[in-house]
Amino acid sequence: MDDVLRRTPLFATLDVDAAASLRASMNEIELARGDLLFHEGDPGDSLYVVLRGKIKLGRTSGDGRENLVAVLGPGEMFGELSLFDPGPRSAGATALVDSTLLGLSSDELTPWLATRPDVARALLRAIARRLRRTNDSMSDLVFSDVPGRVAKALLDLSARFGTPAEDGIHVAHDMTQEELAQLVGASRETVNKALADFAGRGWLRLEARAVVLTNVERLSQRSR
Ligand code: CMP
């Protein structure tokens, strides 16, 4: 079985046979870059695990502005809120690049939760972790300036999508500058200014839908 899958909260505590049985009850979904999996507000009763690619989760305000609540990569899970608390999807899910997902319906998950407290505990832990992150993001929106939030977002993306490069860490985030701004919760102009400033200081290099972080220490200091 795929290593990525074995590391997800859903599978982490299962032995080989149980993992194979759960995997067999999931359906594989291929998305091309830009494909929408579901809209914010849609009804939903499946959760998804990202096997390959990147998914952006976005919310739209009444006047049409977009905010990205998260960008998820391999091994990360989403869509569980509507499953545990039946109601409309709290965000829309769109593929940033060609992606492969595994979907698990509520009907398939329920027996696992009833018979395997370790699976239920792992899912609760994943949700608790997300709440911590959301609280951190909320505090950052209140207490940090835009450059600080940009630095933090880049470091967070680098921890998940970064690969070593000759002069630093190459982070292929696959977002436009508009999407990066939506993730940071600021205007494109302000985020561009912060990126240009960091580039001018030699802390990073800008590439199309990617950055190379060349001074992680200074970016970390700036993110605090
Ligand atoms: P659901 O509401 O079913 O569909 C959208 C999904 O986005 C949601 O479940 C969560 O899995 C995910 N999601 C919503 N808010 C956040 C957030 N703040 N951080 C990370 N993921 C989120």
Side-chain angles (χ1 to χ4, degrees), residues 22-211:
L22 180 58
R23 169 69 182 82
S25 62
M26 298 178 89
N27 59 316
E28 200 162 309
I29 299 155
E30 294 288 347
L31 297 176
R33 176 173 158 183
D35 279 356
L36 186 96
L37 179 67
F38 54 72
H39 283 107
E40 177 183 358
D42 280 356
D45 72 342
S46 290
L47 64 74
Y48 301 90
V49 173
V50 184
L51 271 191
R52 179 183 70 94
K54 280 187 198 83
I55 301 293
K56 69 170 181 177
L57 299 171
R59 293 167 62 94
T60 310
S61 68
D63 61 4
R65 285 174 299 162
E66 282 263 353
N67 164 232
L68 295 189
V69 292
V71 172
L72 305 182
E76 294 185 286
M77 175 187 76
F78 65 98
E80 75 296 330
L81 294 188
S82 315
L83 197 146
F84 292 129
D85 177 27
R89 295 289 190 191
S90 59
T94 308
L96 278 173
V97 291
D98 295 352
S99 302
T100 309
L101 310 177
L102 288 178
L104 182 66
S105 71
S106 167
D107 288 349
E108 297 284 359
L109 178 63
T110 304
W112 286 91
L113 297 178
T115 55
R116 297 285 306 238
D118 50 334
V119 171
R121 209 174 304 122
L123 287 177
L124 283 172
R125 187 161 174 228
I127 295 173
R129 230 184 244 167
R130 171 160 320 140
L131 182 57
R132 280 182 201 275
R133 284 177 64 103
T134 305
N135 280 349
D136 285 347
S137 304
M138 250 168 57
S139 294
D140 289 341
L141 278 174
V142 176
F143 299 126
S144 298
D145 60 2
V146 174
R149 302 204 308 260
V150 171
K152 195 158 186 181
L154 293 176
L155 291 167
D156 176 54
L157 290 165
S158 86
R160 285 171 311 128
F161 304 116
T163 51
E166 223 168 75
D167 54 345
I169 306 172
H170 186 262
V171 187
H173 53 66
D174 293 298
M175 280 181 278
T176 61
Q177 294 210 332
E178 181 69 45
E179 286 167 329
L180 195 56
Q182 290 167 359
L183 183 67
V184 169
S187 72
R188 190 164 67 86
E189 291 72 22
T190 334
V191 169
N192 282 353
K193 213 170 129 201
L195 288 170
D197 178 59
F198 292 165
R201 291 170 190 270
W203 296 356
L204 55 77
R205 264 191 304 111
L206 295 169
E207 294 184 355
R209 293 178 190 254
V211 286

